[in-house]
Amino acid sequence: AAEFWELGLGEPIPLSAYHRRGVWECVDALINRGCNGLFPLKSKDGDQITEPRDNTIKVAICGKPNSGKSSLFNALVGEDRSIVSHIEGSTTDAVDAYLEAYNGNTYRFIDTAGITKRNKIKSETMWLSIHRSMKAIKRADVALIVLDASEVMTGHKKLGNAYWCPDIQMRYIARAIEERGTAAVIVLSKWDAVPNKDSESQEKFIQAIRSNLGGVGQWAEVVACSAKTGQRISKVLEAVDKTLAAHRKRIPTNVLNEVVRDALLWKLPPAKAYNSKQGRVYYATQTAIEPPQLVLFCNNPRLFGPNYKIYLENKIRQDLGWFGTPFQVEYRKRSEKRAVSQAEQWLGPRLLPSEAWR
């Protein structure tokens, strides 16, 4: 290693990963010099310094192969970081890039490989790429679901956009994002390739998604943009900020109970035919965020059918303007006497200062 001193780059470290020699010397040099991005910076007192990248907003760009994910990724970060090709499978691993926006937020965009059906996975490399994509979605704060706008409005050549139907791949991606509790924004890419656009084209696209894509399509923000021309790219960042705010939103307990009470007044749970009992909700509270989790204390969770649960969830979203994020609703069984006696004990630690019991 003496010959490398002539380069004038400092003390060389002889290293062999195979024989495990010099590894700890390399790690020690990295930590002492404060290598940004690999190890946390240390102050002179030994305290850890919080870096701006620790508070970044992680955004995963996901979707089907060849839907415009890499083009959108390059347009957002402002440089060609990912390979763009019409050949499917050009992106085989997740690529990260940072962006500090004009609003002061720092975003960490993650370009993922296209997610395909199981019967189309032909190699271990492809399987590993899809697995890495799903892991990126799980660790992201917001997921951008990229759809090819030209496919949405030409899904059926004769019948038009009203009969557009997402395929199994798209349904699987949407369901996986909702099950993992990740906030989502639907991005209609390749907007420049849509022919005969007018002032109402974007609204027609949104109606097509709302009508045919269940789950995520019902509550996610929809943005149309073009990575090629840069049209509406800034709208994507605005949608990410709005979605993340909803993902981290905490509803005051008294407001949530008013909304649930109003929903019960509009439509009561249907009584079961076998016992003629009707479901009753005593009170509700929010127990967590990212994703939001609600707990409804009721007389019997079995008295609330799936249709009524969907109605109650949609009513809460509509009254609170809670779009862009999935939230989980848990029904817990309580007797009325026990629910009333334990309401203060249960809700006390979760009340905001303005909701203190009087």
Side-chain angles (χ1 to χ4, degrees):
E3 298 179 358
F4 292 93
W5 281 98
E6 299 177 358
L7 298 176
L9 300 177
E11 180 183 358
I13 301 176
L15 187 145
S16 173
Y18 182 78
H19 295 92
R20 300 179 182 235
R21 296 178 180 176
V23 176
W24 289 110
E25 288 80 354
C26 181
V27 173
D28 184 63
L30 289 172
I31 294 177
N32 290 335
R33 296 189 181 184
C35 182
N36 190 4
L38 293 178
F39 298 95
L41 291 176
K42 299 287 184 178
S43 63
K44 295 182 179 179
D45 301 332
D47 299 330
Q48 181 174 339
I49 302 176
T50 303
E51 299 183 20
R53 291 186 179 182
D54 294 339
N55 302 321
T56 56
I57 301 173
K58 295 181 287 295
V59 182
I61 304 175
C62 57
K64 296 165 52 179
N66 203 19
S67 59
K69 301 184 298 298
S70 298
S71 299
L72 178 63
F73 175 79
N74 293 337
L76 288 170
V77 301
E79 56 180 332
D80 295 336
R81 289 293 304 275
S82 292
I83 300 175
V84 178
S85 174
H86 65 280
I87 302 175
E88 295 185 2
S90 299
T91 304
T92 57
D93 197 3
V95 180
D96 295 19
Y98 291 90
L99 171 68
E100 187 173 352
Y102 59 89
N103 55 8
N105 295 332
T106 304
Y107 302 90
R108 180 182 179 181
F109 292 103
I110 308 169
D111 184 22
T112 63
I115 301 174
T116 60
K117 300 179 184 178
R118 290 185 179 181
N119 57 359
K120 290 188 176 181
I121 300 177
K122 301 179 181 179
S123 63
E124 295 181 359
T125 304
M126 185 179 295
W127 178 89
L128 184 60
S129 300
I130 297 174
H131 181 67
R132 294 289 297 272
S133 299
M134 301 308 298
K135 288 183 65 176
I137 293 173
K138 187 176 181 179
R139 64 187 173 95
D141 297 320
V142 181
L144 299 183
I145 306 176
V146 182
L147 294 177
D148 190 346
S150 58
E151 292 183 2
V152 174
M153 299 304 287
T154 59
H156 200 290
K157 296 182 179 179
K158 295 182 180 180
L159 300 179
N161 63 292
Y163 294 88
W164 170 75
C165 183
D167 55 11
I168 298 177
Q169 289 175 260
M170 197 66 250
R171 294 182 186 275
Y172 172 76
I173 296 171
R175 185 171 64 252
I177 291 174
E178 189 170 17
E179 289 177 353
R180 283 161 176 76
T182 306
V185 176
I186 298 177
V187 180
L188 292 170
S189 64
K190 304 181 183 180
W191 188 252
D192 56 293
V194 178
N196 303 323
K197 296 188 294 289
D198 54 20
S199 58
E200 299 180 357
S201 296
Q202 186 173 354
E203 189 64 30
K204 293 179 181 179
F205 275 64
I206 295 176
Q207 288 181 0
I209 293 173
R210 298 283 189 233
S211 302
N212 301 286
L213 185 59
V216 174
Q218 306 302 313
W219 47 260
E221 294 283 338
V222 182
V223 180
C225 68
S226 172
K228 184 178 181 179
T229 62
Q231 183 182 10
R232 296 197 186 97
I233 290 294
S234 60
K235 298 291 183 181
V236 177
L237 297 180
E238 295 177 4
V240 169
D241 294 337
K242 183 178 179 181
T243 299
L244 188 61
H247 198 51
R248 298 173 175 175
K249 186 177 182 180
R250 185 173 290 276
I251 304 298
T253 308
N254 57 346
V255 175
L256 181 61
N257 280 275
E258 290 179 5
V259 172
V260 174
R261 191 179 302 112
D262 183 62
L264 294 173
L265 291 176
W266 274 99
K267 183 179 180 181
L268 290 173
K272 297 296 182 179
Y274 59 89
N275 56 8
S276 300
K277 289 186 177 181
Q278 194 172 38
R280 296 181 60 186
V281 178
Y282 300 126
Y283 59 91
T285 183
Q286 182 179 354
T287 58
I289 58 174
E290 296 186 60
Q293 297 179 5
L294 309 180
V295 176
L296 303 182
F297 292 92
C298 58
N299 55 349
N300 191 349
R302 296 182 179 180
L303 299 178
F304 297 86
N307 292 335
Y308 192 82
K309 290 181 179 180
I310 294 175
Y311 155 76
L312 195 58
E313 179 180 342
N314 293 336
K315 183 66 174 176
I316 294 174
R317 286 189 184 277
Q318 181 180 0
D319 291 354
L320 297 176
W322 213 352
F323 296 96
T325 177
F327 60 80
Q328 304 168 0
V329 182
E330 180 184 357
Y331 293 80
R332 293 186 184 178
K333 185 177 181 179
R334 286 288 189 277
S335 63
E336 183 176 5
K337 183 178 180 180
R338 183 184 177 188
V340 174
S341 62
Q342 293 185 350
E344 183 174 354
Q345 178 183 356
W346 173 261
L347 296 177
R350 293 169 175 79
L351 291 176
L352 298 178
S354 60
E355 306 173 31
W357 291 91
R358 300 176 181 177

